[in-house]
Amino acid sequence: MMQFTDWDILRNLLLAARWTILLSLFAFIGGGLVGLILTFLRSAKYASLNVFFKVYVEIFQGVPLLMQLFLTFFGLSLLGIDVDAWTAAILSLTLFSSAYLHEIWRSCIEALPKGQWEACRTLGLTYAQTMRHVIIPQAIKMAIAPTVGFSVQIVKGTALASIIGFVELTKAGTMLNNATFEPFKVFGLVALLYFIICFPLSVLARYLENKNHATR
Amino acid sequence: MPLVSIDKVHKYYGENHVLKGVDLKVEAGEVISIIGRSGSGKSTLLRCINGLESFQEGAIYVGNQAVEDDELKLRLLSRSVGMVFQSFNLFPHKTAAENVMLAPQLVLKKDAEECKALAKKLLEKVGLGDKLDAYPANLSGGQQQRVAIARSLAMSPKVLLCDEITSALDPELVGEVLHVLEQLKEEGMTLILVTHEMNFARDVGDRVVFMHQGKVWETGASDEVFANPQTPELQSFLSVVR
Ligand SMILES: Nc1ncnc2c1ncn2[C@@H]1O[C@H](COP(=O)(O)OP(=O)(O)OP(=O)(O)O)[C@@H](O)[C@H]1O
Ligand SMILES: [Mg+2]
């Protein structure tokens, strides 16, 4: 049996952490894009679409992320569509984050006084002009802190991808533990690495939150 | 031909019949004050004139433009009809000048220099020539409301709708805003004001419209209506507010 030095363990975990970060980034960017589109469509008030948005958000917020992963990974292959763990993970994390980010951004937009919309309409601005020049600049200030805060949830969410066999930080930890039988050391390091990724994000979110309060 | 013509307009909020056949003609250059109890439909009527609310029956014309429930037509209408709100609704992330410039730049596609000059001219006109670069949060209520008036004027509307624009102000700031309205009247601007300022309505307004239960209950020349109210409803309203 192969021997693992401490350095081997750390090195393998660091290599796997790349995938955690990459997966988080993809999920955040993908979720952000889908979330943006949903947010724009929703505030444009196509009343007929509203039910769809509500159901969408309820499903992705109400079903555990793990089940979403299973359904994407196993469900799609049942339908004859072959997805690898990486695609399934990105797909479900993207949909999951899009629902949450959409909800965060929608609430920021709705928190703005209705009078802002009415003033724009009265002045003859189009919907796009209103969004771009009046609504988004104000909503963004409110949205930044919770958005960064949610990115921490995404990082932690990627751990679930280990269960469908995607080798990110958690999965690498499990594999190394099976090889070394040193759970405390291995999972201690895994936890430390998650902390190192998430802590700066939490600090940033808190900083932005305070800054935002100070300027209002 | 009247500038604004409102013809048997009915408006419902669900089951609630809010405007019950309102008729009103406003000539160019006229200053109309709309008075009446809370809930009588004054704001709703104003908001129907510029299309912020749709109505179910009747017709409203501004000039020869019909007010219809259609995005594009309403945007065109917004060039003729300006509105000032009780709560100012200034854009808090923009300076006074930027607030005034935004619509001419985006909607009328005037170039930046021209818009700047326009903003300066209009803010000077409302007595805020020294506040071009101030943000709304750093202005008093009276100053904010004057910026809001300048912002509406930047689109050179034919008629300006004002919904209780002094009601959110401290009493000592009301005068400066009313003064701007007087100035506009002298320049020949058509004004439709929903107001609680009875003295202003009597002294500056040409005509008073008393709304009651969703109808134009009584209307006439300002001095006459105040001196000689005909209906018991207006009599009792005036005795309460005076
Ligand atoms: N957005 C709305 N949805 C439902 N009902 C409304 C809405 N706005 C106004 N109403 C109702 O319409 C009626 C007339 O309201 P409106 O605001 O026009 O009165 P008003 O004369 O302006 O009163 P105030 O002096 O209090 O401003 C009221 O019964 C009010 O409850
Ligand atoms: Mg009102």
Side-chain angles (χ1 to χ4, degrees), chain B residues 156-174:
Chain B
S156 358
K158 294 189 195 123
V159 50
L160 195 60
L161 313 175
C162 301
D163 192 359
E164 301 195 23
I165 65 172
T166 56
S167 295
L169 300 179
D170 293 335
E172 72 271 19
L173 301 177
V174 169

Side-chain angles (χ1 to χ4, degrees), chain A residues 114, chain B residues 13 16 18 36-45 53 163-164 194 196:
Chain A
K114 236 176 64 210
Chain B
Y13 281 114
N16 191 1
V18 178
R37 289 215 169 78
S38 180
S40 55
K42 307 180 297 292
S43 300
T44 306
L45 179 63
E53 298 288 350
D163 192 359
E164 301 195 23
V194 170
H196 287 153

